């Protein structure tokens, strides 16, 4: 397991490095912050002083070296917008995203286990066909489209739910969670259903049924327990996607998470905050991928053997 873990860390660290370098370089293609933070009437001396104060007058390689050396000391710079530490701003926003992603994934897994198991218990029945139609539809709906429709219908039209912010009761979670939930739920229902159909036709399930075992115990005790491995693997991958894909949802609903912070930083050329946000997100995704792989390897030893030396 130690050898497997070491190989996965090394192979996953390479994309992490390219992400950090790519964001650093691409962020500077958006333009100079000097043009955004100083008035048009600013003198050349004022522009030069602003650039020198924030290191923008150095060459890109020098700026990159300064960023990497400071980041190694966990110093990610200062926000141009607020004057706060970029690291502290990111650490305030990131838990909000994790709460949203975690609650969404928990509901998606629980709902998919129930619906997928019921659909697999009677293949080709009406319940199975309805579950299949709903899951394929849910897996195909774009997040941004569902979010916009939800705002128009339930926020503007019916005035049932708030459309932005995090202040209020449980109703503030409904639209953001529903938007993030729909695709993972649809994918997981199909995975659970496919895995359960195979498990329910296994010999040990047939033996349990022949002995008169309770149908609920057969489905949720025997079959589900032995078909959970692919579900956990897909759920882990979808969780990574939720953390990475919350940008659109947080922007639409004004959710003060890491995604919205990234968008605001891009629009306002706040390079320090953007770089810190991307780095923390990339490291989190890196860690989640490693965790998923380790869990999969612990469950299935063939995964460890399949990793090349």
């Amino acid at each position: 397991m130690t050898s497997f873990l070491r190989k996965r860390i090394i192979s996953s660290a390479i994309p992490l490095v390219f992400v950090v370098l790519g964001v650093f370089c691409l962020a500077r293609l958006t333009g100079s912050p000097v043009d955004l933070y100083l008035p048009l009437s600013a003198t050349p001396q004022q522009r030069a002083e602003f650039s020198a104060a924030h290191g923008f007058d150095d060459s890109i390689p020098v700026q990159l070296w300064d960023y990497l050396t400071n980041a190694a000391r966990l110093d990610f710079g200062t926000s141009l917008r607020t004057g706060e530490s970029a690291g502290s701003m990111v650490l305030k926003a990131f838990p909000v995203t994790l709460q949203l992603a975690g609650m969404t994934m928990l509901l998606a897994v629980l709902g998919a286990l129930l619906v997928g198991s019921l659909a697999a218990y009677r293949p080709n029945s009406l319940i199975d066909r309805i579950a299949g139609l709903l899951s394929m539809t849910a897996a195909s709906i774009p997040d941004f489209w569902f979010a916009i429709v939800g705002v128009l219908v339930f926020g503007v039209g019916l005035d049932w739910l708030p459309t932005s912010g995090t202040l209020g009761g449980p109703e503030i979670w409904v639209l953001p969670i529903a938007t993030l939930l729909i695709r993972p739920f649809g994918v997981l229902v199909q995975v659970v259903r496919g895995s359960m159909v195979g498990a329910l036709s296994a010999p040990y399930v047939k033996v349990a049924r022949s002995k008169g075992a309770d149908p609920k115990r057969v489905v949720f005790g025997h079959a589900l327990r032995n078909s959970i491995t692919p579900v956990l693997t897909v759920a882990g991958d979808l969780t990574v996607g939720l953390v990475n894909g919350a940008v659109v949802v947080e922007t639409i609903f004004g959710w003060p998470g890491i995604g919205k912070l990234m968008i605001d930083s891009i629009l306002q050329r706040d390079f320090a905050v953007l770089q810190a946000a991307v780095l923390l997100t990339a490291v989190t995704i890196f860690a989640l991928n490693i965790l998923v792989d380790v869990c999969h390897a612990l469950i299935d030893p063939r995964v460890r053997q399949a990793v090349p030396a």
Side-chain angles (χ1 to χ4, degrees):
M1 177 57 72
T2 303
S3 176
F4 170 80
L5 184 59
R6 183 180 67 252
K7 293 170 185 176
R8 289 297 295 118
I9 290 176
I10 293 174
S11 62
S12 299
I14 296 175
L16 177 63
V17 173
F18 279 103
V19 167
V20 173
L21 295 179
V23 169
F24 180 90
C25 296
L26 291 175
R28 280 148 180 79
L29 295 179
T30 61
S32 173
V34 178
D35 300 329
L36 192 63
Y37 287 91
L38 290 183
L40 296 176
S41 59
T43 65
Q45 181 179 356
Q46 290 174 326
R47 297 171 64 87
E49 290 175 352
F50 183 90
S51 297
H54 296 90
F56 298 137
D57 57 341
D58 295 327
S59 62
I60 296 296
V62 172
Q63 293 184 46
L64 177 59
W65 175 253
D66 290 340
Y67 166 67
L68 294 177
T69 53
N70 290 331
R73 299 193 298 267
L74 300 181
D75 179 8
F76 300 101
T78 303
S79 170
L80 293 175
R81 291 180 294 154
T82 65
E84 298 180 60
S85 167
S88 65
M89 292 178 64
V90 171
L91 291 177
K92 289 178 184 177
F94 200 65
V96 181
T97 296
L98 291 182
Q99 289 177 359
L100 185 61
M103 190 173 297
T104 298
M105 207 62 230
L106 176 62
L107 294 175
V109 170
L110 294 178
L113 289 176
L114 178 60
V115 175
S117 298
L118 292 176
Y121 186 67
R122 297 185 181 277
N124 299 319
S125 64
L126 179 61
I127 294 178
D128 184 24
R129 293 176 181 177
I130 293 175
L133 176 62
L134 292 178
S135 64
M136 287 189 292
T137 302
S140 305
I141 295 178
D143 292 346
F144 68 90
W145 181 86
F146 187 86
I148 294 173
V149 171
V151 169
L152 290 175
V153 175
F154 298 102
V156 178
L158 299 175
D159 196 24
W160 288 355
L161 299 170
T163 59
S164 64
T166 57
L167 298 178
E171 67 277 3
I172 64 174
W173 295 84
V174 174
L175 284 178
I177 287 181
T179 302
L180 286 177
L181 172 73
I182 185 167
R183 183 177 179 276
F185 173 76
V187 173
L188 286 174
V189 166
Q190 297 179 38
V191 174
V192 172
R193 193 264 181 196
S195 183
M196 285 288 289
V197 166
L200 287 170
S201 61
Y204 65 88
V205 172
K206 294 179 179 179
V207 171
R209 283 177 169 173
S210 66
K211 291 182 177 180
D214 181 45
K216 293 181 180 179
R217 182 176 178 82
V218 171
V219 174
F220 296 104
H222 297 288
L224 183 59
R225 181 176 59 188
N226 289 278
S227 60
I228 201 69
T229 300
V231 178
L232 293 178
T233 302
V234 175
D237 293 337
L238 290 173
T239 302
V240 173
L242 285 181
V243 174
N244 190 38
V247 175
V248 174
V249 173
E250 290 182 355
T251 302
I252 292 176
F253 293 109
W255 198 263
I258 198 71
K260 186 175 184 301
L261 183 64
M262 285 185 190
I263 295 298
D264 292 342
S265 300
I266 292 172
L267 294 176
Q268 300 179 17
R269 299 176 190 170
D270 201 348
F271 296 158
V273 177
L274 174 62
Q275 291 161 181
V278 170
L279 178 60
L280 180 58
T281 303
V283 170
T284 302
I285 293 174
F286 166 81
L288 287 175
N289 277 321
I290 295 295
L291 180 61
V292 170
D293 291 339
V294 169
C295 292
H296 197 184
L298 289 173
I299 296 173
D300 189 351
R302 294 172 297 178
V303 175
R304 299 196 298 269
Q305 300 171 0
V307 177

